[in-house]
Amino acid sequence: MSYDLVVRGRRIMTTAGEQPREVGVTGGRIVAIEPLGNGLDGTRVLELGDDEVLLPGLVDTHVHVNEPGRTEWEGFASATRAAAAGGVTTIVDMPLNSIPPTVDVAALEVKRKVAADQAFVDVGFWGGAVPGNQGDLRGLHDEGVFGFKCFLLHSGVDEFPPLDADGMERDMAELATFDAMMIVHAEDSRAIDNAPSAGGARYSSFLASRPRGAENLAIAEVIERARWTGARAHVLHVSSSDALPMLATARRDGVRITAETCPHYLTLFAEEIADGATTHKCCPPIREASNRELLWQGLLDGTIDCIVSDHSPSTAELKLLDTGDFGQAWGGVSSLQLGLPLVWTEARRRGIALERVVEWMAGRPADLVGLSGKGRVALGHDADMVVFAPDDAFVVDPARLHHKNPVTAYEGRSLSGVVRRTLLAGRDVDGSTPSGRLLRRGGITTPSPAPEG
């Protein structure tokens, strides 16, 4: 038979590791994987170079697109172009910092309408859990959100207020009745209130204002409330390595809890951050080098499930680059386009195989949100694929990023690994013709595009 697309290469990242294979794609899905040399016939044929690896498209389940309402910070067109340029073929959008936040079905429909004709990769949505919207949770779940996000302290925007621990428990109990997941920004508000002030340009002062203890206390609350309710819970952007033993113990006890970390916590460290470098401000903060090494160990031993970007962009003005005031600058690191080379650069220095990186950034995030047809080059999966040159290198230039605002903590950094081509459902993402689909839990909202040819 003839396929819509055949990819041939000596380095195809299958579920059994890198193998010389031919991959046949029809109707946007992988329908054949055979040994290299079998001569699969395709309307289009892509021959990989010897320095290239075919990877599954990455799945980034923690992205703030900010549209509508704060589209000057980012937007679906710019965010999904950046995603594709970085080898990410699926994103799940956070319920804030858009206006309105995704806390009811009407707000979800607003987001879907805005995203529908702008997405260059596939897009799903999280719902929000805030005071007073418990009655909206089931409706959002039935409309296909992948779970619900809450904060345990001020979110940074007034329209998305936090829950206290008891409110989180009540919502978890509700979510448990339909097996939905609560994802949590875990920092304890009282611990933050009692910490030193974050004002000024000294990074050490900012770090002291967001102590590990605040994160540890909040993660302990998430664990216990998940234990009591039986709900599924997920800890977002873990930065404190102190919390890892708690998470590991909870899992051994049968608590249904997972955790993620982010490229900035795995690649940057406090000792190298210059005073006034508000490009590096995020919450929870980037901690010490010794802490970073323990986060890597948490990935290797399985305590941390996956790596996602927490792409949280803003305008350059909100970063206060002129004054460098950590107390007033917006907190967030933009890295949607850079995640794969960032993590790969650090992983290879540690002797960690590319296969592990791909599992942390594609397979496991897909598993987290139940996207069983994504995150792996496997039969029956979506033909979301990336041609990656792991030994190639580049220097980060903000002007070459597709993020709406050229603000990055990685300017001038030399990275290994270049994304040369990204395919969504077997078609090249060209950056000019949006062909991404809107995803919902258990299915899709919009159909795949017709095959070429």
Side-chain angles (χ1 to χ4, degrees), residues 18-54:
E18 285 187 21
Q19 305 285 339
R21 291 287 185 266
E22 300 183 0
V23 179
V25 174
T26 292
R29 290 186 178 271
I30 297 169
V31 295
I33 301 177
E34 297 190 9
L36 184 63
N38 276 23
L40 297 183
D41 179 52
T43 303
R44 293 175 293 133
V45 176
L46 172 58
E47 301 273 3
L48 300 187
D50 289 342
D51 64 335
E52 296 176 335
V53 187
L54 186 75

Short mmCIF file of all heavy atoms in Angstrom, two decimals, residues 18-54:
data_model
loop_
_atom_site.label_atom_id
_atom_site.label_comp_id
_atom_site.label_asym_id
_atom_site.label_seq_id
_atom_site.Cartn_x
_atom_site.Cartn_y
_atom_site.Cartn_z
N GLU A 18 16.11 4.21 20.15
CA GLU A 18 16.48 4.58 18.79
C GLU A 18 16.68 3.34 17.93
O GLU A 18 17.45 2.44 18.29
CB GLU A 18 17.76 5.41 18.78
CG GLU A 18 17.59 6.84 19.26
CD GLU A 18 18.85 7.65 19.06
OE1 GLU A 18 19.69 7.27 18.22
OE2 GLU A 18 19.01 8.67 19.76
N GLN A 19 15.99 3.28 16.80
CA GLN A 19 16.04 2.13 15.90
C GLN A 19 16.07 2.61 14.45
O GLN A 19 15.48 3.65 14.12
CB GLN A 19 14.80 1.23 16.09
CG GLN A 19 14.55 0.75 17.51
CD GLN A 19 15.50 -0.35 17.92
OE1 GLN A 19 16.07 -1.01 17.07
NE2 GLN A 19 15.67 -0.54 19.22
N PRO A 20 16.73 1.87 13.55
CA PRO A 20 16.62 2.18 12.11
C PRO A 20 15.26 1.72 11.60
O PRO A 20 14.98 0.52 11.57
CB PRO A 20 17.77 1.39 11.50
CG PRO A 20 18.05 0.29 12.45
CD PRO A 20 17.67 0.76 13.81
N ARG A 21 14.42 2.65 11.22
CA ARG A 21 13.04 2.29 10.90
C ARG A 21 12.51 3.14 9.75
O ARG A 21 13.06 4.18 9.38
CB ARG A 21 12.13 2.51 12.12
CG ARG A 21 12.37 1.54 13.27
CD ARG A 21 11.87 0.15 12.94
NE ARG A 21 11.98 -0.77 14.06
CZ ARG A 21 13.01 -1.59 14.27
NH1 ARG A 21 14.05 -1.56 13.43
NH2 ARG A 21 13.02 -2.41 15.30
N GLU A 22 11.38 2.66 9.21
CA GLU A 22 10.55 3.42 8.29
C GLU A 22 9.18 3.57 8.93
O GLU A 22 8.62 2.61 9.46
CB GLU A 22 10.43 2.70 6.95
CG GLU A 22 11.76 2.49 6.26
CD GLU A 22 11.64 1.83 4.89
OE1 GLU A 22 10.49 1.53 4.47
OE2 GLU A 22 12.67 1.63 4.24
N VAL A 23 8.66 4.78 8.91
CA VAL A 23 7.39 5.08 9.55
C VAL A 23 6.39 5.48 8.48
O VAL A 23 6.64 6.42 7.70
CB VAL A 23 7.55 6.22 10.58
CG1 VAL A 23 6.21 6.55 11.23
CG2 VAL A 23 8.59 5.84 11.64
N GLY A 24 5.26 4.80 8.43
CA GLY A 24 4.20 5.11 7.47
C GLY A 24 3.06 5.85 8.14
O GLY A 24 2.58 5.43 9.20
N VAL A 25 2.62 6.92 7.50
CA VAL A 25 1.58 7.79 8.06
C VAL A 25 0.43 7.88 7.06
O VAL A 25 0.65 8.15 5.88
CB VAL A 25 2.12 9.19 8.35
CG1 VAL A 25 1.00 10.13 8.79
CG2 VAL A 25 3.24 9.13 9.39
N THR A 26 -0.78 7.65 7.54
CA THR A 26 -1.98 7.84 6.73
C THR A 26 -3.05 8.49 7.60
O THR A 26 -3.23 8.10 8.75
CB THR A 26 -2.50 6.50 6.17
OG1 THR A 26 -1.55 6.00 5.22
CG2 THR A 26 -3.84 6.68 5.49
N GLY A 27 -3.72 9.50 7.05
CA GLY A 27 -4.79 10.15 7.79
C GLY A 27 -4.33 10.80 9.08
O GLY A 27 -5.11 10.92 10.02
N GLY A 28 -3.08 11.23 9.11
CA GLY A 28 -2.57 11.92 10.29
C GLY A 28 -2.11 11.02 11.42
O GLY A 28 -1.71 11.52 12.47
N ARG A 29 -2.13 9.70 11.19
CA ARG A 29 -1.72 8.76 12.24
C ARG A 29 -0.61 7.84 11.74
O ARG A 29 -0.47 7.60 10.55
CB ARG A 29 -2.91 7.91 12.71
CG ARG A 29 -3.94 8.71 13.49
CD ARG A 29 -5.03 7.81 14.07
NE ARG A 29 -5.98 8.57 14.85
CZ ARG A 29 -5.84 8.81 16.17
NH1 ARG A 29 -4.77 8.33 16.82
NH2 ARG A 29 -6.74 9.51 16.83
N ILE A 30 0.14 7.33 12.68
CA ILE A 30 1.19 6.36 12.37
C ILE A 30 0.54 4.99 12.22
O ILE A 30 -0.06 4.47 13.16
CB ILE A 30 2.25 6.33 13.49
CG1 ILE A 30 2.95 7.69 13.59
CG2 ILE A 30 3.27 5.23 13.23
CD1 ILE A 30 3.82 7.85 14.81
N VAL A 31 0.64 4.42 11.04
CA VAL A 31 -0.04 3.15 10.77
C VAL A 31 0.95 2.03 10.43
O VAL A 31 0.55 0.86 10.29
CB VAL A 31 -1.08 3.29 9.64
CG1 VAL A 31 -2.21 4.23 10.09
CG2 VAL A 31 -0.45 3.80 8.35
N ALA A 32 2.23 2.36 10.30
CA ALA A 32 3.23 1.33 10.02
C ALA A 32 4.58 1.77 10.58
O ALA A 32 4.95 2.94 10.46
CB ALA A 32 3.35 1.08 8.52
N ILE A 33 5.28 0.83 11.22
CA ILE A 33 6.67 1.04 11.64
C ILE A 33 7.41 -0.24 11.29
O ILE A 33 7.12 -1.31 11.85
CB ILE A 33 6.79 1.34 13.14
CG1 ILE A 33 5.99 2.59 13.53
CG2 ILE A 33 8.27 1.53 13.53
CD1 ILE A 33 6.01 2.90 15.01
N GLU A 34 8.33 -0.13 10.34
CA GLU A 34 9.01 -1.33 9.85
C GLU A 34 10.52 -1.09 9.80
O GLU A 34 10.97 0.06 9.81
CB GLU A 34 8.47 -1.72 8.47
CG GLU A 34 6.99 -2.09 8.49
CD GLU A 34 6.53 -2.70 7.19
OE1 GLU A 34 7.39 -3.00 6.32
OE2 GLU A 34 5.30 -2.87 7.03
N PRO A 35 11.31 -2.16 9.73
CA PRO A 35 12.77 -1.99 9.66
C PRO A 35 13.18 -1.17 8.45
O PRO A 35 12.57 -1.27 7.37
CB PRO A 35 13.28 -3.43 9.56
CG PRO A 35 12.21 -4.25 10.20
CD PRO A 35 10.92 -3.59 9.84
N LEU A 36 14.21 -0.38 8.62
CA LEU A 36 14.74 0.41 7.53
C LEU A 36 15.20 -0.51 6.40
O LEU A 36 15.87 -1.51 6.63
CB LEU A 36 15.93 1.25 8.02
CG LEU A 36 16.55 2.22 7.02
CD1 LEU A 36 15.55 3.29 6.61
CD2 LEU A 36 17.80 2.86 7.62
N GLY A 37 14.78 -0.18 5.19
CA GLY A 37 15.10 -1.01 4.03
C GLY A 37 13.92 -1.77 3.49
O GLY A 37 14.01 -2.37 2.41
N ASN A 38 12.80 -1.75 4.21
CA ASN A 38 11.62 -2.46 3.72
C ASN A 38 10.95 -1.75 2.55
O ASN A 38 10.09 -2.33 1.89
CB ASN A 38 10.60 -2.65 4.85
CG ASN A 38 10.90 -3.88 5.69
OD1 ASN A 38 12.03 -4.35 5.72
ND2 ASN A 38 9.88 -4.39 6.38
N GLY A 39 11.29 -0.50 2.32
CA GLY A 39 10.82 0.17 1.12
C GLY A 39 9.36 0.57 1.14
O GLY A 39 8.68 0.44 0.12
N LEU A 40 8.87 1.08 2.27
CA LEU A 40 7.49 1.58 2.29
C LEU A 40 7.33 2.68 1.25
O LEU A 40 8.22 3.51 1.04
CB LEU A 40 7.15 2.13 3.67
CG LEU A 40 7.16 1.15 4.87
CD1 LEU A 40 6.71 1.87 6.13
CD2 LEU A 40 6.28 -0.05 4.60
N ASP A 41 6.17 2.68 0.60
CA ASP A 41 5.90 3.63 -0.47
C ASP A 41 5.02 4.75 0.07
O ASP A 41 4.02 4.50 0.75
CB ASP A 41 5.18 2.93 -1.62
CG ASP A 41 4.85 3.89 -2.75
OD1 ASP A 41 5.77 4.59 -3.21
OD2 ASP A 41 3.67 3.96 -3.14
N GLY A 42 5.39 6.00 -0.23
CA GLY A 42 4.60 7.12 0.25
C GLY A 42 4.45 8.21 -0.79
O GLY A 42 5.32 8.41 -1.64
N THR A 43 3.31 8.90 -0.73
CA THR A 43 3.10 10.07 -1.58
C THR A 43 4.19 11.11 -1.32
O THR A 43 4.69 11.77 -2.23
CB THR A 43 1.71 10.68 -1.31
OG1 THR A 43 0.71 9.68 -1.51
CG2 THR A 43 1.45 11.88 -2.21
N ARG A 44 4.55 11.24 -0.05
CA ARG A 44 5.69 12.07 0.33
C ARG A 44 6.66 11.19 1.11
O ARG A 44 6.24 10.34 1.89
CB ARG A 44 5.25 13.25 1.20
CG ARG A 44 4.39 14.27 0.48
CD ARG A 44 3.88 15.35 1.45
NE ARG A 44 2.95 14.79 2.40
CZ ARG A 44 2.98 15.02 3.71
NH1 ARG A 44 3.94 15.77 4.23
NH2 ARG A 44 2.08 14.49 4.51
N VAL A 45 7.96 11.41 0.89
CA VAL A 45 8.98 10.63 1.60
C VAL A 45 9.96 11.61 2.23
O VAL A 45 10.46 12.53 1.56
CB VAL A 45 9.72 9.66 0.64
CG1 VAL A 45 10.84 8.94 1.39
CG2 VAL A 45 8.74 8.65 0.05
N LEU A 46 10.23 11.40 3.50
CA LEU A 46 11.19 12.22 4.22
C LEU A 46 12.35 11.32 4.64
O LEU A 46 12.17 10.37 5.41
CB LEU A 46 10.52 12.84 5.46
CG LEU A 46 11.42 13.58 6.45
CD1 LEU A 46 12.17 14.71 5.77
CD2 LEU A 46 10.58 14.12 7.61
N GLU A 47 13.52 11.61 4.11
CA GLU A 47 14.74 10.85 4.44
C GLU A 47 15.54 11.66 5.46
O GLU A 47 15.97 12.78 5.20
CB GLU A 47 15.59 10.64 3.18
CG GLU A 47 14.88 9.89 2.06
CD GLU A 47 15.03 8.38 2.18
OE1 GLU A 47 15.64 7.93 3.18
OE2 GLU A 47 14.53 7.68 1.28
N LEU A 48 15.76 11.07 6.63
CA LEU A 48 16.53 11.76 7.65
C LEU A 48 18.02 11.69 7.36
O LEU A 48 18.52 10.69 6.83
CB LEU A 48 16.27 11.13 9.02
CG LEU A 48 14.83 11.13 9.56
CD1 LEU A 48 14.82 10.62 10.99
CD2 LEU A 48 14.21 12.51 9.49
N GLY A 49 18.72 12.75 7.74
CA GLY A 49 20.16 12.73 7.66
C GLY A 49 20.74 11.88 8.79
O GLY A 49 20.07 11.58 9.78
N ASP A 50 22.00 11.49 8.64
CA ASP A 50 22.62 10.65 9.66
C ASP A 50 22.78 11.35 11.00
O ASP A 50 22.94 10.70 12.03
CB ASP A 50 24.01 10.17 9.17
CG ASP A 50 23.90 9.14 8.05
OD1 ASP A 50 22.81 8.55 7.90
OD2 ASP A 50 24.91 8.94 7.34
N ASP A 51 22.72 12.69 10.98
CA ASP A 51 22.85 13.44 12.23
C ASP A 51 21.50 13.79 12.84
O ASP A 51 21.43 14.53 13.83
CB ASP A 51 23.65 14.72 12.00
CG ASP A 51 22.94 15.70 11.06
OD1 ASP A 51 22.12 15.24 10.23
OD2 ASP A 51 23.22 16.91 11.14
N GLU A 52 20.42 13.24 12.29
CA GLU A 52 19.07 13.60 12.73
C GLU A 52 18.37 12.42 13.40
O GLU A 52 18.56 11.26 13.02
CB GLU A 52 18.23 14.08 11.54
CG GLU A 52 18.76 15.36 10.92
CD GLU A 52 18.00 15.78 9.68
OE1 GLU A 52 17.40 14.92 9.01
OE2 GLU A 52 18.02 16.99 9.36
N VAL A 53 17.55 12.75 14.40
CA VAL A 53 16.73 11.76 15.11
C VAL A 53 15.27 12.16 14.94
O VAL A 53 14.93 13.35 15.08
CB VAL A 53 17.09 11.70 16.60
CG1 VAL A 53 16.34 10.56 17.29
CG2 VAL A 53 18.58 11.55 16.81
N LEU A 54 14.41 11.20 14.66
CA LEU A 54 12.98 11.47 14.64
C LEU A 54 12.43 11.24 16.04
O LEU A 54 12.50 10.13 16.57
CB LEU A 54 12.26 10.56 13.64
CG LEU A 54 10.77 10.90 13.47
CD1 LEU A 54 10.59 12.17 12.65
CD2 LEU A 54 10.01 9.74 12.83
#
